[in-house]
Amino acid sequence: MRFRKSFLWLSAVSIFLASAAHAGQSLKKPDLMPWPAQIQMTGGEYRLDSSFVVKIAGHAPARLYSYADRMLRRLSGKTGLFFSQDYLSPDSAVKSPSMEIRADRPGKLKLNEDESYKLDVTPSGIMLTAKTDIGAMRGIETFLQLVQGDSAGYFVPGVRINDYPRFPWRGLMIDASRHFMPLDVIERNIDGMAAVKLNVLHWHLSDDQGFRAESQTYPLLTRLGSDGLFYTQREIKEVIKYAADRGIRVVPEFDMPAHSTSWFVGYPQYASEPGPYSVERKFGIFNPVFNPTSDNTYKFLDGFFKEMCRLFPDEYMDIGGDENNGKQWNANPQIQSFMRKHKIADDRALQTYFENRLIPILTKYHKKVVGWEEILSGQLPKTAIIQSWRGAQSLQEAARKGFRALLSKGFYVDHYMPASFYYLNDPLPDSIGLTAQQKKLVIGGEACMWSEFISPENIDSRIWPRTAAIAERLWSQDSINNVADMYRRLDGISLELESLGMTQMKNQDMMLRRLSAGLNPAPLANLVNVVVPVELYMRARTGRYTSYCPLTRVVDAAVPDPEIARHFSNMVDHLVSGGAVSGEELASIRARLLAWKSNDAALENLIASSPVLREIEPVSKRLTDAASSGLEAVDRIQRGETADTSWVNSKLSGLKQDARPAGEVGLVIISPIEKLVRFAGSR
Amino acid sequence: MRFRKSFLWLSAVSIFLASAAHAGQSLKKPDLMPWPAQIQMTGGEYRLDSSFVVKIAGHAPARLYSYADRMLRRLSGKTGLFFSQDYLSPDSAVKSPSMEIRADRPGKLKLNEDESYKLDVTPSGIMLTAKTDIGAMRGIETFLQLVQGDSAGYFVPGVRINDYPRFPWRGLMIDASRHFMPLDVIERNIDGMAAVKLNVLHWHLSDDQGFRAESQTYPLLTRLGSDGLFYTQREIKEVIKYAADRGIRVVPEFDMPAHSTSWFVGYPQYASEPGPYSVERKFGIFNPVFNPTSDNTYKFLDGFFKEMCRLFPDEYMDIGGDENNGKQWNANPQIQSFMRKHKIADDRALQTYFENRLIPILTKYHKKVVGWEEILSGQLPKTAIIQSWRGAQSLQEAARKGFRALLSKGFYVDHYMPASFYYLNDPLPDSIGLTAQQKKLVIGGEACMWSEFISPENIDSRIWPRTAAIAERLWSQDSINNVADMYRRLDGISLELESLGMTQMKNQDMMLRRLSAGLNPAPLANLVNVVVPVELYMRARTGRYTSYCPLTRVVDAAVPDPEIARHFSNMVDHLVSGGAVSGEELASIRARLLAWKSNDAALENLIASSPVLREIEPVSKRLTDAASSGLEAVDRIQRGETADTSWVNSKLSGLKQDARPAGEVGLVIISPIEKLVRFAGSR
């Protein structure tokens, strides 16, 4: 099966290249993401104007009409065209549509639902067909990404697309416990998910730092465990509908038996120590854990899940299961005696015992379970899904044992890794040691947005645009893995996401303005464009973070994958790769370095009025130093000199010093400058 | 009374100047807005660090604790300080507070509630005292505006402030009918209102284009009249609480008898023509109007207001009353015969009849009424408040007749006027012909945000920062009216508002990025920085706007009062005012003009890929032309030449051509360039 798809893909590439040979400007490769399974540029283009009219055909539910309405408004917003068509409804009689969207049936919000679509754009019209309305939604997003402008106006290039996902479970997990994320954050990110064809919102709703879902059965969960920051059941229903209207499932997670302090603030009797408990303000692994030896615990959880299984319609319920340190269990003589009595060997076995009593409750309420890899045991029902987060080996272990599995290891977007890192993290690499049958059990993956160090203000900049690269990994064929091409398209999709409401760019601007205390933020922006946050564990290790700490500093505004630094790095790579180097290229490199070298003086003025910037002063000085080294190297390269070894070594040693972080950010352009220095010494 | 206040103010200025004579850097005039009634810089400063701790004293309700919590988070966000204090509660035992906030009693959300406060900052601590917690909230905003940074860290300058509002009703009207504004838009703007001490949200909830408040008694109002875009009663309660937590009243407006098409989509039987009706998509004055001659109309309205008067706790209900064209009344023989029978002379009298039957219903439900100036008649109860919008004379007429009155004429922020225009619009100018007693009836005013041409994306840029200038007009003493000083402070308050969530800056950036289709938006930004939208009526007159039109074009991204154009104009004014002109100043003017002159070439590249920009191409070319004229003038001024009259006339005539708008925007720097040209010819 995979061979066949790859083969088709290669054919499509050939067709694409063949067409491109005759190409006008409209035949440039479109900036689609995720890249479709099969695409063929058919020549010509459909020209958009205000007479553009859409017709919905087939058997589509109301939500597809709304989706198409939003498509019209997005198209109108992008092009400024005043479309005459107002709101689509089943009653609208459209005689000669510009675009027909046809869905055979309403899609079901469940695993393995058909999301395929076919999109045909010709100069005379656009036809989008799908088995389900969810497939049609996926196709609408592709269509919107195809729209381009030229001097004659807006158009959609002629194209034939046949598209379907590689994996059926393509998720984004949002941790709303460690920092609460208001409804508008969740909803706009659902729009972002739909734009890149993700289909599962994994909503992490409880943890030590807060219980975020209203329970009417156990009102103290939020009354005492949330600081007043939680979703009401009405809001939860709104989110579920919002997601469903975009073909996205919502799988809630109630993490247990550990990560559960917030439960015990109102209900200490179900913990393994008597308490009292208060909402955890720090981050890490904490001791509070459900008492698995008490029948009351299961009565309580039965009541809880009875309510939640009704509230959340998805067939899956996520029970968490991660990072139980067992300390409360070990310290409790009653629990220890229970373990001896029931021949439960260790904490791990006791957690399995807990899950063996918990899962039947969920089964009773018609739910299958998902959990982190720690829940993997021989006694799990085969309907369970294992989410691998510590190492891909657990993914393989799950599949070998016959469980379906999701990859999250390597998809943690709270880690400040570049998009390329996530992009190349294939759930099923060629090297994987699984049989064809086992491979089928690897059903996808999830980007994980843990929220220790994020606020509603900067969450989007941690999710986007990198999660679009993850979305492509999970939707597109495995052969689509060219990093440079991914980055080329990522910058475009980031703008599209911004237009949909994501704040990854504009909130960075805002944060830099705030940090600049009314002065021109340009020198600060220059620095932020070449730094990245230190590794996550270095921030965690400071021990000073709490859920009410400021998340407004340079490290919080800096993004993991700054575009300007990336472009600089690409220029340097091109230079040192030994190809012909134009004077223009060297001039661009030099211009960047010159600007960086002189930036510190301007930034010092800002720092004098804005003490919050004091912490990054050393990094600013290191940028001057590193840029100076880079300039010296460029001078030598331009003069055609070969630098001597002692110069090279002295510069490299200086650059090593310049790489040291301060204020929890470090320069990301050290490595390309090192390349320049080495290149100056090697010719 | 006004003399006394002015006298005190003068004393405060004297004290301020006296202190400033001994000033260190911390004694610069703080960027407060609205400016307090009395302020005295007392020297020294309170230094902020992470040990900063707040104590609430007196008799404060829970909402003041929450307000102080948010103050701490905002302070921490601005300074990056990791405060040890987490959440404030009545249980928190704070021994030696850095700041004490004391309120004698909870404030009531009603007209004329005490909002005064006293703020004392000394090197050893901060004391904020107020009669009500609402006054304390006003003081907290002043305190936050005082925080500054220097090379030693953050501090609050030593100051003694005694502050209270000039007018008790300081409102912002938001029209959520013509374009629906989601909950987060309303809530963040309530935060913005609190930041500048506004105290009434006037929520325009129904109009021809949509009915936005859920009625359980008459569910068809939103089911058929809202396109699904409305606030549920739960959401309305949330907004009311959100506002109350910030000391802000919510006064809903249900506009009648006209502006009521959306009511009749579900309930045509109460209109003056049989219908059927559909939600209005265009803007303007439409014919649908309640049938005032039918008892059923009043039964319906009784049922409606019974529900709404319970939902909205404020003592006032706004019944609109504006722009009834009477056409349906004139066309309906039954209504005409009713008028003859009851000796009702004309439409105006018939509307008075309608109001005379409506107001007792509201009285029964314990509400007083507010309405637009058209409701003014001799038969109104004296508790009614008249909102003047067509001309200030109606304000005077209302006061002379013994009614309380609000000024909105001159506060329409949907008109693209500069902040100075609104700022100088005093409800009680010296020239006003009212007695002292009548003047007391002028209780304030409201900024009006009508929404024909705004979307959730750009609404903040129409409200802010200009509404901060209106807020100062309504809070501060009338002697505070220096436009230059207002602008100096406005730029700072705009950043503070952005930090609170307002999107006036960041969404402009976003819109320019979208308009630039992935290319560098800088040339577009250069143009947008010197254009303003054409007058509102010119947009309306095109007749092409509907509630689903794109509001994403350059005109929608342009702001009414662009900062760069204003600074340029100030530089030119200084130059031509004949004072000594430095070479540096001339160089700054020249640099701006040079950049503008060459901008068109770069913008052309953008336009070639982004056809939505095509419409502003003529304005871009006119910028080049106007800048060239300005440069020629500067050359002559620098050379000490006097230009001859024919050159001056020819340039002025060219500039007149350059002032023509295109794409609904026009250059705002024509007038300063004309000044340069005239100056070149006058020396």
Side-chain angles (χ1 to χ4, degrees), chain A residues 77 498 506-507 513-514 552, chain B residues 77 498-499 506-507 513 552:
Chain A
E498 162 158 270
K506 60 189 183 179
N507 276 10
R513 278 191 288 266
R514 181 170 51 210
T552 53
Chain B
E498 162 159 90
S499 202
K506 61 188 182 179
N507 276 10
R513 279 190 288 265
T552 52

Side-chain angles (χ1 to χ4, degrees), chain B residues 288-306:
Chain B
V289 59
F290 276 96
N291 183 346
T293 68
S294 156
D295 287 342
N296 287 334
T297 297
Y298 302 102
K299 276 186 206 144
F300 170 77
L301 290 174
D302 190 310
F304 176 77
F305 279 115
K306 181 178 182 183

Side-chain angles (χ1 to χ4, degrees), chain A residues 76-77 82 86-87 150-151 154 234 495 498-499 506-507 509-510 513-514 518 548-550 552 608 611-612 614, chain B residues 76-77 82 86 150-151 154 234 495 498-499 506-507 509-510 513-514 518 548-550 552 608 611-612 614:
Chain A
S76 162
F82 281 54
D86 57 348
Y87 298 96
D150 63 15
S151 56
Y154 288 95
R234 186 180 281 236
L495 284 165
E498 162 158 270
S499 202
K506 60 189 183 179
N507 276 10
D509 294 343
M510 179 270 279
R513 278 191 288 266
R514 181 170 51 210
Y548 51 84
C549 275
T552 53
V612 63
R614 180 71 61 198
Chain B
S76 162
F82 282 54
D86 57 348
D150 63 14
S151 57
Y154 288 95
R234 187 181 279 236
L495 285 165
E498 162 159 90
S499 202
K506 61 188 182 179
N507 276 10
D509 295 343
M510 178 269 280
R513 279 190 288 265
R514 180 170 50 208
Y548 51 85
C549 276
T552 52
V612 63
R614 180 71 62 197

